[in-house]
Amino acid sequence: MSVKNNDSIESSLFEKRKKLYPREVHGLFANLRLLSVSILLGAYYLLPWINLSGRQIVLFDLPERKFYIFNWIFWPQDFIYLALLLICAAFALFLFTALAGRLWCGYACPQTVWTEVFLWIERKVEGTRSQQMKLDKQESSFTKFRIKATKHTIWIIFSLYTGFTFVGFFTPIRELAQGIMSFDLGPSEVFWLLFYSLATYGNAGWLREQVCMYMCPYARFQSAMLDKDSLVISYDALRGEPRGGRKKGDDLEAKQLGSCIDCSLCVQVCPTGIDIRNGLQYECIGCAACIDVCDDVMDKMDYPRGLVKYTTENKMEGRKTTILRPRIIIYVILLVSILSGIFYSIETRDSVALNILRDRNALYRENFEGTISNSYTIKVLNMDLIDHDYTLKVTGIEGLQSSIKEPIKVKAGQVLEMPLLLSAEPESLHHTSLTIKLTLQAVDDINVSTESEGRFIGPIDP
Amino acid sequence: MLALDKKLLIIGSLWPSFWMATALSGIIFSAIDPLIIASQMGFNHVSYLSAYSIGFFFFWLVCAWSGFFSIIFSRSVTKKNVSKK
């Protein structure tokens, strides 16, 4: 790459930002976004406060190394499910992008969702788009300071509550609230609360569209998932051009004008500040604000709606749009099979686990009565939702004696760690190292059982 | 204000490494209990949240370090010569 090229790429990456004042918009897609924002934020802020049989319904309990999600408990060994879920999320993203473009960006991305709230607060405090622009141009004054200070105070309070809720997914939120009231929080809790608050305030209050344009990896590669049959937001240039001002009811043919009245409202409502009339651009997050506002204008002018609309490249070129294309079918098959696999596997996974660890200090011990013994530590994980009593059977060596007193009582969701001493007669040890099999069986449920293998070490020449 | 290439260097190394550190924390700490590592290093009074946080920042640092050098080495040497003139 030449020196000149390198420079131009780097300067276009971080050009000086002009502040955008997205105009408020009403309409079908704005309502859909409001609905999506309400559901997503509602879930985010309310979920940690809901309790189910005495515990938080969604809690990523780091101290206990357990994730509680509704009726499920996930242990560290269940990390595979999280990995599979992330793969599913990626496939879902590919599927929705191939079908309908950047649905995620326009309606569900946390950046969009929180920016919507911050914009709403900004409009409530500073007024409409033109009032905001006027305020920013004003000389410094007490009124300007008061308005700006009010806005930032509300933003900061909202951000802090967001950060508090975030930490509340990892530490029981009621205890966290009490901790804040009594100024009794651990340093890590304070750090993450402030970190997430700052990220919210910075991203949704200050950076906004810059996150989508410069920091989002999805924005960079989403175009690879689009094809000629994907829904994109597009301006109908054939119908709209030549654009120009006119009065309502003017004869378009006589004036040689298209349907676009060049009111620039589509640019004013755009949260990333682009002009959709210049064609599909990677900055477009697919929020459809331009569709809503243009439809309004078309209604006022008595023109048919849809000068800016959701359409496909094929449709614009007069060809048929196919929804069921090979890539869509493949994505759906993959998504359905992985998801059903995950749910099947979660529902049928073992509800008990047994870990056995040999004592590292001694290989074996010879006892008074002449037997050879090995000591271990065993861990019984009751991953079920109810308490269980277990029996432990050890096989592999004839006449093996175990020190365990049965039944082994383990409460729901608990890990019991206990020493285990196994003793055998020297005559039954045919080799220096023998494999032993431990079978843990719940007393009250025949389906709840697990097996684990260990080694029993004896003298070199038995 | 920082020069453009410095900004790119800082953001380009810190931002992707943040996500990598998140993923690494999830994978590594689900396999290994961070308190075991902490106790083997002689820290016996560390809370879980602190252990996870320290681990996360360690991963972030390591990944950022790698990203930092990737950016440095992706710059052409010729350009460096030209800009010094």
Side-chain angles (χ1 to χ4, degrees):
Chain A
M1 197 183 285
S2 73
V3 174
K4 198 179 164 195
N5 252 347
N6 242 338
D7 278 348
S8 67
I9 285 172
E10 280 178 18
S11 37
S12 66
L13 258 178
F14 294 102
E15 60 195 337
K16 196 160 164 49
R17 181 202 181 210
K18 279 191 221 100
K19 191 183 169 190
L20 296 176
Y21 303 87
R23 192 189 182 95
E24 194 174 3
V25 64
H26 301 281
L28 173 67
F29 298 106
N31 289 339
L32 283 177
R33 189 164 38 261
L34 183 66
L35 179 72
S36 163
V37 168
S38 315
I39 294 172
L40 291 169
L41 285 188
Y44 177 79
Y45 290 106
L46 289 179
L47 270 180
W49 293 100
I50 303 172
N51 275 2
L52 180 81
S53 52
R55 62 164 174 79
Q56 207 165 302
I57 196 165
V58 177
L59 178 68
F60 307 115
D61 194 337
L62 295 182
E64 283 199 46
R65 287 166 69 73
K66 271 183 275 181
F67 287 3
Y68 298 98
I69 301 170
F70 303 110
N71 234 345
W72 290 328
I73 304 176
F74 291 95
W75 298 70
Q77 58 266 41
D78 296 329
F79 185 78
I80 180 77
Y81 294 121
L82 185 64
L84 286 172
L85 268 181
L86 287 177
I87 293 174
C88 279
F91 274 121
L93 195 63
F94 296 167
L95 173 69
F96 288 116
T97 309
L99 270 178
R102 294 173 70 170
L103 276 186
W104 164 259
C105 304
Y107 300 91
C109 174
Q111 179 62 25
T112 306
V113 167
W114 270 308
T115 303
E116 279 291 310
V117 179
F118 274 63
L119 282 173
W120 182 80
I121 296 171
E122 194 168 54
R123 284 191 196 113
K124 287 287 165 209
V125 178
E126 291 190 359
T128 59
R129 177 177 193 262
S130 46
Q131 285 169 322
Q132 287 176 27
M133 291 165 88
K134 210 170 128 194
L135 182 74
D136 278 356
K137 279 196 193 121
Q138 270 175 26
E139 298 273 308
S140 301
S141 68
F142 178 71
T143 321
K144 185 175 175 179
F145 175 77
R146 184 180 52 81
I147 294 174
K148 291 277 175 195
T150 312
K151 178 181 85 175
H152 285 286
T153 312
I154 300 174
W155 275 3
I156 289 169
I157 294 171
F158 180 75
S159 304
L160 283 172
Y161 190 75
T162 306
F164 160 73
T165 309
F166 176 75
V167 180
F169 277 98
F170 297 90
T171 308
I173 201 161
R174 288 182 167 79
E175 288 171 27
L176 189 69
Q178 282 166 3
I180 290 176
M181 298 293 177
S182 54
F183 295 101
D184 180 27
L185 283 186
S188 304
E189 283 159 345
V190 174
F191 172 81
W192 286 112
L193 195 155
L194 293 179
F195 185 91
Y196 204 81
S197 307
L198 187 73
T200 313
Y201 175 71
N203 285 344
W206 292 93
L207 292 173
R208 292 188 184 168
E209 81 286 351
Q210 297 185 96
V211 174
C212 313
M213 284 154 75
Y214 305 122
M215 293 162 78
C216 177
Y218 170 64
R220 301 282 172 110
F221 65 75
Q222 45 85 27
S223 58
M225 292 169 227
L226 295 175
D227 55 31
K228 289 191 164 187
D229 289 312
S230 308
L231 274 184
V232 286
I233 293 166
S234 179
Y235 163 70
D236 189 347
L238 276 178
R239 190 189 135 191
E241 300 296 320
R243 64 184 86 156
R246 80 285 309 269
K247 283 195 195 108
K248 190 176 170 182
D250 276 355
D251 184 1
L252 295 186
E253 273 190 34
K255 285 205 155 191
Q256 289 195 323
L257 283 173
S259 291
C260 176
I261 65 166
D262 206 9
C263 60
S264 83
L265 280 177
C266 53
V267 183
Q268 293 178 30
V269 295
C270 181
T272 61
I274 57 167
D275 188 341
I276 192 71
R277 295 170 297 179
N278 297 339
L280 187 63
Q281 292 145 74
Y282 106 90
E283 290 94 332
C284 171
I285 59 165
C287 69
C290 48
I291 302 186
D292 277 337
V293 78
C294 189
D295 278 349
D296 252 8
V297 174
M298 292 296 111
D299 286 351
K300 278 181 195 144
M301 297 299 291
D302 281 337
Y303 295 161
R305 285 180 165 205
L307 182 61
V308 182
K309 63 180 172 196
Y310 267 116
T311 183
T312 69
E313 213 180 313
N314 269 341
K315 204 171 173 188
M316 277 192 290
E317 288 166 4
R319 285 191 294 266
K320 221 179 115 223
T321 299
T322 330
I323 295 176
L324 285 177
R325 332 191 271 282
R327 71 192 301 174
I328 301 286
I329 297 170
I330 293 171
Y331 288 152
V332 171
I333 291 174
L334 280 172
L335 202 57
V336 172
S337 29
I338 300 177
L339 269 181
S340 30
I342 292 178
F343 282 106
Y344 176 76
S345 163
I346 289 178
E347 286 303 324
T348 55
R349 72 191 155 150
D350 282 345
S351 51
V352 62
L354 174 68
N355 294 336
I356 175 162
L357 260 175
R358 274 189 59 84
D359 187 354
R360 287 193 214 150
N361 294 328
L363 284 175
Y364 63 91
R365 220 168 45 210
E366 291 186 53
N367 301 325
F368 281 126
E369 55 272 32
T371 54
I372 307 290
S373 65
N374 278 204
S375 60
Y376 308 84
T377 304
I378 58 164
K379 267 189 192 177
V380 180
L381 287 78
N382 180 1
M383 300 186 281
D384 212 348
L385 295 167
I386 51 168
D387 302 353
H388 280 298
D389 287 356
Y390 301 96
T391 55
L392 181 73
K393 206 167 85 187
V394 189
T395 50
I397 299 168
E398 211 179 304
L400 196 65
Q401 296 289 318
S402 150
S403 67
I404 291 284
K405 287 195 178 61
E406 289 170 338
I408 305 165
K409 289 175 182 292
V410 191
K411 288 196 166 141
Q414 295 293 311
V415 183
L416 184 75
E417 200 174 309
M418 57 205 289
L420 167 71
L421 191 75
L422 296 176
S423 315
E425 297 293 338
E427 301 82 62
S428 46
L429 301 173
H430 310 297
H431 291 281
T432 315
S433 170
L434 290 161
T435 306
I436 47 165
K437 197 165 92 179
L438 292 89
T439 313
L440 192 75
Q441 170 69 54
V443 177
D444 52 345
D445 190 343
I446 193 145
N447 296 319
V448 178
S449 70
T450 184
E451 285 179 356
S452 194
E453 280 194 353
R455 312 288 304 167
F456 189 97
I457 312 275
I460 295 167
D461 292 313
Chain B
M1 279 303 272
L2 282 168
L4 289 175
D5 58 342
K6 290 229 174 65
K7 268 196 208 170
L8 182 66
L9 192 61
I10 295 169
I11 297 171
S13 49
L14 285 184
W15 179 235
S17 54
F18 175 82
W19 290 107
M20 288 302 113
T22 313
L24 272 177
S25 306
I27 297 166
I28 308 261
F29 291 149
S30 65
I32 304 165
D33 186 337
L35 281 199
I36 294 176
I37 305 173
S39 70
Q40 281 179 356
M41 288 168 79
F43 302 105
N44 290 318
H45 302 288
V46 184
S47 78
Y48 257 111
L49 202 55
S50 309
Y52 285 117
S53 305
I54 294 165
F56 171 79
F57 282 107
F58 174 73
F59 294 137
W60 195 2
L61 183 80
V62 172
C63 295
W65 197 239
S66 151
F68 177 85
F69 278 104
S70 298
I71 296 173
I72 292 279
F73 290 135
S74 67
R75 287 183 183 165
S76 72
V77 182
T78 2
K79 190 197 159 197
K80 196 145 186 82
N81 286 338
V82 171
S83 61
K84 269 189 180 167
K85 272 178 192 171

